[in-house]
Amino acid sequence: MAPSTVTLTVQSRGKPIRKLPKEVQILSDTSTQELYNQLAIASGYSIHRLRITKAADRAVVPNSKDSTIEQNGLTDKTVLHVKDLGPQISWRTVFIVEYFGPLLIPILFLHPLRPYLYYNFDNIPQPTDIQRLVCALLVVHFLKREYETVFVHRFSNATMPARNIVKNSGHYWLLAGCNIAYWVFRPDSSAATGRVSPAIVYTGLALYVFGELANFNTHLVLRNLRRPGTTERGIPSGFGFSAVTCPNYFFEVVSWVGIYLVSGLSWSVLFFIAVAAGQMALWAKKKERNYRKEFGDKYKRKRYAMIPGLI
């Protein structure tokens, strides 16, 4: 059957979009991505700044080259709402910026800023080997994050609201950067006074190395589930996935527990772990729900979303 021309009624939702056309004509077998392209060109907005929903049920019309007008139930005179999501920034850029802070801050706190941060101490000794080791572990961890952001991760959404960069960066720059570096590198910290036993240090190093390598492997598995340029994904399997929904989060926690042990059980590291693990647990549970909804009976349901036997 030959495709038909569909006339869609277009309305702004929320903040008015001045140049948005009142109607748009498009073939029924055209991709919804092309619909976004037409409205983006007409309005003068980035395609990533627009969200299109059906007025009748508020269902989102996907920005996808694999989804057609007809498949989404868009017929003649269907009313569409177009929302301006505001200024956008790429996910990749956000990740690069948020990880750059805790990558650089430990180095600055341990060396050039050390005399100014701890000016109230009568004597400011040189950093100990343990403090240098913690600094190296933090730098390697966030260098790995930066590498994964540039070369490994594939993002289902191209952009996020630009304002999110402040919130996301604050979490890492303040909690993982300033908070940990200041307290662990103090002249009176456990890492500075030699109160960390070799057994704890070596155990921490073993957990750190295992967690980092296992986490990286999980990210490679997740990358290979998504074809470049698509949002489709398969069911993940492999090391860790039989136990929990998101082993990448579990291995992330293992790695940070390693840093916690090497730091001499610093409360600042433990505080960051608690905050980060709480957020990751929420993401993991949401991911489990999404897998069950998306894959149905094909997906083997997990009892634990992030930490085996616990969460």
Side-chain angles (χ1 to χ4, degrees):
M1 184 176 179
S4 59
T5 300
V6 176
T7 301
L8 303 171
T9 301
V10 181
Q11 300 173 353
S12 295
R13 183 181 177 191
K15 181 181 177 181
I17 303 174
R18 285 194 306 110
K19 297 182 180 180
L20 191 70
K22 294 182 179 180
E23 289 185 344
V24 62
Q25 291 186 331
I26 195 166
L27 292 175
S28 59
D29 65 346
T30 302
S31 72
T32 52
Q33 185 179 75
E34 179 56 30
L35 173 63
Y36 273 84
N37 283 331
Q38 288 190 28
L39 293 177
I41 293 171
S43 65
Y45 282 20
S46 164
I47 190 173
H48 302 300
R49 187 166 173 164
L50 303 177
R51 182 173 66 199
I52 304 173
T53 57
K54 292 190 286 185
D57 59 4
R58 295 190 178 182
V60 175
V61 178
N63 177 10
S64 172
K65 64 182 180 180
D66 300 320
S67 176
T68 68
I69 298 297
E70 185 177 26
Q71 287 172 347
N72 282 271
L74 304 183
T75 58
D76 218 34
K77 300 304 179 182
T78 293
V79 179
L80 298 178
H81 286 164
V82 181
K83 183 177 178 61
D84 173 16
L85 299 176
Q88 300 287 297
I89 189 170
S90 76
W91 278 77
R92 204 175 303 277
T93 299
V94 171
F95 280 8
I96 289 173
V97 171
E98 68 183 31
Y99 297 150
F100 181 73
L103 168 61
L104 185 62
I105 287 171
I107 300 173
L108 294 177
F109 277 34
L110 191 64
H111 296 293
L113 297 181
R114 186 173 179 82
Y116 307 101
L117 291 170
Y118 308 116
Y119 66 90
N120 55 324
F121 284 84
D122 294 332
N123 178 40
I124 304 177
Q126 290 297 310
T128 65
D129 290 341
I130 292 295
Q131 288 177 319
R132 292 191 182 95
L133 178 58
V134 172
C135 182
L137 297 183
L138 293 171
V139 169
V140 169
H141 175 79
F142 286 105
L143 275 175
K144 168 181 166 290
R145 287 279 192 94
E146 296 283 31
Y147 175 84
E148 291 169 341
T149 297
V150 176
F151 298 107
V152 178
H153 293 323
R154 289 176 179 155
F155 301 97
S156 56
N157 296 314
T159 63
M160 68 165 68
R163 63 181 180 275
N164 284 4
I165 194 170
V166 176
K167 177 185 68 176
N168 290 26
S169 296
H171 169 77
Y172 284 101
W173 286 53
L174 295 178
L175 288 186
C178 298
N179 167 60
I180 291 176
Y182 177 81
W183 294 105
V184 174
F185 300 156
R186 278 174 61 95
D188 59 352
S189 70
S190 296
T193 55
R195 295 197 296 265
V196 189
S197 74
I200 290 178
V201 172
Y202 289 130
T203 300
L205 282 174
L207 290 175
Y208 175 84
V209 172
F210 169 77
E212 293 291 322
L213 292 177
N215 175 269
F216 182 70
N217 175 71
T218 306
H219 287 159
L220 292 178
V221 171
L222 294 172
R223 167 191 168 86
N224 293 330
L225 293 177
R226 193 190 306 276
R227 291 184 290 114
T230 71
T231 59
E232 296 178 359
R233 59 175 177 238
I235 299 175
S237 62
F239 183 65
F241 284 102
S242 60
V244 293
T245 311
C246 297
N248 49 319
Y249 296 156
F250 171 60
F251 297 136
E252 177 88 2
V253 171
V254 169
S255 177
W256 277 102
V257 169
I259 295 175
Y260 170 64
L261 294 178
V262 174
S263 74
L265 312 183
S266 171
W267 70 266
S268 61
V269 181
L270 186 62
F271 179 68
F272 175 74
I273 293 173
V275 173
Q279 180 61 69
M280 288 188 289
L282 295 177
W283 290 337
K285 291 177 181 179
K286 182 178 179 181
K287 182 73 73 174
E288 174 67 17
R289 291 194 297 270
N290 289 343
Y291 281 156
R292 293 181 182 185
K293 181 178 179 181
E294 181 176 356
F295 299 114
D297 294 337
K298 295 181 181 179
Y299 175 70
K300 184 178 179 181
R301 298 187 173 200
K302 306 295 191 305
R303 182 177 179 183
Y304 301 105
M306 190 176 84
I307 299 178
L310 186 60
I311 302 175

